[in-house]
Amino acid sequence: MGDSVKDKTAFVLAGGGSFGAIQVGMLRELVAHGVVPDLVVGASVGALNGIYFCSDPTPAGVARLEAVWCGLRRSDIFPLSASHLLGLFRGAASLVDPSGLRGLIARHLSHPQLEDTPIPVHVAATDLLTGASVLLSSGPAADAILASCAIPGAFPPVRIGDRYLIDGAVATNTPVMAALALGCTRIVVLPTGFACALSTAPTGALASAFHALNLLVARQLVRDLEQLAGRIEVATVPPLCPLTVSAYDFSRAHELIERAAQGTRRWLQGGGLDQQRIPGALRPHVDEAPAAGNCDAAPQAALPHS
C-alpha cells in the first residue's frame, strides 16, 4: 500500500471484549497475504489490538500479539475484589479496578506514545459529558487504550486533557467514518461479530453488558457501511458465525484465533478484498450451534449503491 492520496488504506478494528482474539486471526492472514495498511483506527479492544499491531506490523509481531491473547485470563483484565465491590456503595465510579488492564498494557506495550508506532494509529473514545466521538492520535498509548475500553459502570472514565473519556462503543464502536475523515480511499474492516448461537442468555452483569455492546457494535457497523456505499472502497472481513462463546469468556482465545484465520484465508482466496459486501453474520440472526466442525459461511449481503 502506498502513501499517496490516491491509495491510502486503513484497517478499522471494532470492539468486542474477548472476541478481540478474532481480529488476531484476521490480522495473521491479512499480513501473510501482503496486506499492510497506511493507518489503523481502533475502538475498545480494537484499539488495544490496533496499537500492538501498529507497533510491529509483521508476522512476528502478530505472533506475539497472539501469545498475549492465548495467555490471558479474565482476572487479568477484570480483577474483581470484595473491597472494590463495597466501594460502589460509597460512590465508586466503577465495578472493576482498571489496574489489571493497565498492568497488562504496560507489560506488552513497546511504543508508549501513540505517535511513535511505525504505522500511524488512531483510537476512538467517547466524551462522557457530550457523547461526542473523540479520536486520539497522539499521547500516552496506555491512557488511550484505557479510555477506549472504559465500559460505563465497569471501568472508570479516563481523563485526557480536559475531557473525561469512556468506551468508544457509546459513540461509534467501529469508527469507519473516522477512517474516511482521515482521507482514506480504502477501508478494510475487522469486526468481532456477536454470539449468535448461545443456548441461554448471558449470566452476570458484565457478561450481559458485553453481549449487549457487541449487538450494538454490529448494528452500528451495518448502518455505517450502508452509509459509505458508493463513497469509498470498503472490504469487511466476515466475523465468525455461528458463535457460541461469551464475549466475557477469555479462555477460548486460541480457538477463536484459529477459526478466524481459517475463515479469513478462505475469504482472501475468494477475492474478498475486492468485494463490497456486508457479511450476513453482522445482521440480526440466530444460529444453532454446529454439531461438529466449523460453520463460518453466513450469507453475505451486497452493499446498496446510492
Side-chain angles (χ1 to χ4, degrees):
M1 304 300 170
D3 296 324
S4 68
V5 174
K6 293 182 179 179
D7 182 17
K8 190 174 183 181
T9 297
F11 282 2
V12 176
L13 280 68
S18 65
F19 295 168
I22 292 169
Q23 293 173 339
V24 181
M26 293 174 174
L27 287 169
R28 182 208 291 175
E29 295 304 316
L30 286 166
V31 171
H33 199 72
V35 187
V36 180
D38 297 287
L39 61 90
V40 171
V41 185
S44 197
V45 73
L48 186 150
N49 283 338
I51 289 172
Y52 283 126
F53 173 71
C54 288
S55 296
D56 187 1
T58 66
V62 175
R64 281 190 287 273
L65 179 58
E66 180 176 344
V68 171
W69 271 99
C70 290
L72 273 183
R73 298 174 300 173
R74 182 187 297 166
S75 59
D76 293 331
I77 303 173
F78 301 101
L80 299 175
S81 66
S83 61
H84 203 72
L85 293 175
L86 287 173
L88 292 177
F89 297 100
R90 304 188 185 98
S94 65
L95 181 67
V96 181
D97 184 342
S99 62
L101 180 55
R102 185 176 284 277
L104 172 71
I105 295 166
R107 287 194 299 275
H108 300 286
L109 196 63
S110 60
H111 290 78
Q113 299 293 119
L114 290 176
E115 63 269 28
D116 291 339
T117 57
I119 291 179
V121 60
H122 307 269
V123 173
T126 303
D127 188 308
L128 174 62
L129 299 182
T130 68
S133 182
V134 177
L135 200 63
L136 303 170
S137 304
S138 62
D143 288 348
I145 294 172
L146 287 169
S148 191
C149 292
I151 301 168
F155 289 110
V158 176
R159 183 170 182 174
I160 297 180
D162 60 353
R163 296 176 184 255
Y164 287 92
L165 302 180
I166 57 175
D167 197 314
V170 177
T172 172
N173 199 269
T174 309
V176 291
M177 294 302 182
L180 179 65
L182 290 166
C184 294
T185 57
R186 184 190 193 197
I187 297 174
V188 180
V189 183
L190 283 67
T192 53
F194 60 93
C196 59
L198 292 176
S199 57
T200 59
T203 57
L206 287 176
S208 296
F210 270 114
H211 184 68
L213 281 172
N214 282 9
L215 293 175
L216 173 64
V217 171
R219 304 303 176 266
Q220 287 180 329
L221 178 54
V222 169
R223 179 201 64 197
D224 289 346
L225 291 176
E226 289 175 341
Q227 291 179 353
L228 283 175
R231 299 172 60 186
I232 188 174
E233 182 182 348
V234 182
T236 306
V237 185
L240 300 184
C241 180
L243 188 54
T244 61
V245 184
S246 165
Y248 187 52
D249 181 357
F250 288 80
S251 68
R252 296 171 67 177
H254 178 72
E255 172 192 340
L256 295 179
I257 290 169
E258 293 305 320
R259 279 187 64 190
Q262 293 171 12
T264 303
R265 191 180 312 124
R266 291 194 298 267
W267 178 75
L268 288 166
Q269 292 170 348
L273 285 171
D274 299 319
Q275 298 172 5
Q276 306 281 297
R277 305 183 72 84
I278 299 176
L282 289 174
R283 297 186 183 276
H285 70 282
V286 176
D287 280 309
E288 293 183 0
N294 294 325
C295 178
D296 301 317
Q300 308 236 336
L303 280 169
H305 292 285
S306 56

